[in-house]
Amino acid sequence: MLVDFNTLPEESRVWIYQANRSFTPEEIAEIECKLNTFIENWTAHGSDLQSGYLIKYKRFIVLGLNQNVNAATGCSIDASVHFIQQLEKEYNVDLMDKMNVSYKQGEFIAYKPLADFKKMAKQRAVSKNTIVFNNLVNNIAEFNENWEVPASESWHSRFL
């Protein structure tokens, strides 16, 4: 059951998928249609899952699930992963690789392999004040408070 992401309770679970490139406006429109269809049909053991999504910075797909209504199961999580993998194939984009880092460079979002980010930290090309995206947040409350933070306040700090 598709709902507005912003109406989901703060304890709702989130999954964040970062793209290795920005989506075009046309791709975003298509992906939104596909997300609407997927979420409308997303179930756990035949029960609707109350879910919403955001596409942030033309680069991040954020799925939110109100587990107070119905919790995700292994099968429903697998279905969402398969959906994201289909998007990867269709748009020739990487959404599943967790070994990459996204961070802000002024108004732009940069995307680097973790090894490159570590090198940049050693070279002081990124600092503790660099805004990074902590895609390890678990729920909407954490997403709102700890997703877009200075590197010093994230797991990224170990490299600085």
Side-chain angles (χ1 to χ4, degrees):
M1 162 186 2
L2 178 63
V3 298
D4 182 331
F5 183 90
N6 296 312
T7 66
L8 291 168
E10 286 195 328
E11 64 274 9
S12 296
R13 187 167 175 186
V14 294
W15 292 269
I16 301 170
Y17 301 96
Q18 68 181 0
N20 60 334
R21 64 170 177 84
S22 294
F23 292 113
T24 67
E26 296 79 16
E27 288 173 328
I28 290 172
E30 291 174 10
I31 291 168
E32 286 175 337
C33 283
K34 292 174 191 304
L35 279 161
N36 290 341
T37 301
F38 171 74
I39 290 174
E40 278 296 336
N41 296 292
W42 197 21
T43 62
H45 297 297
S47 299
D48 285 343
L49 295 174
Q50 187 182 68
S51 311
Y53 68 88
L54 295 173
I55 297 179
K56 299 283 284 183
Y57 300 112
K58 299 186 255 180
R59 192 177 274 265
F60 298 91
I61 297 173
V62 184
L63 293 179
L65 170 63
N66 181 355
Q67 297 206 114
N68 295 331
V69 174
N70 284 308
T73 62
C75 292
S76 60
I77 292 169
D78 286 351
S80 67
V81 169
H82 290 167
F83 171 75
I84 295 296
Q85 289 171 329
Q86 281 302 117
L87 292 179
E88 285 183 316
K89 288 178 189 165
E90 192 166 339
Y91 295 97
N92 194 26
V93 65
D94 183 5
L95 293 164
M96 301 287 288
D97 191 342
K98 304 292 186 203
M99 295 305 294
N100 294 307
V101 176
S102 291
Y103 59 96
K104 284 189 172 179
Q105 279 189 315
E107 294 298 309
F108 300 99
I109 307 299
Y111 177 92
K112 298 281 184 199
L114 185 57
D116 290 354
F117 186 82
K118 287 179 186 179
K119 286 179 194 169
M120 291 175 68
K122 282 183 182 173
Q123 298 165 352
R124 305 218 189 286
V126 293
S127 74
K128 65 181 182 173
N129 298 319
T130 300
I131 301 299
V132 295
F133 295 93
N134 177 10
N135 297 322
L136 301 179
V137 296
N138 293 306
N139 59 44
I140 289 178
E142 290 179 15
F143 174 74
N144 290 334
E145 295 293 318
N146 300 315
W147 178 58
E148 198 172 329
V149 293
S152 62
E153 297 175 27
S154 178
W155 63 268
H156 304 82
S157 64
R158 71 184 89 170
F159 308 120
L160 304 173

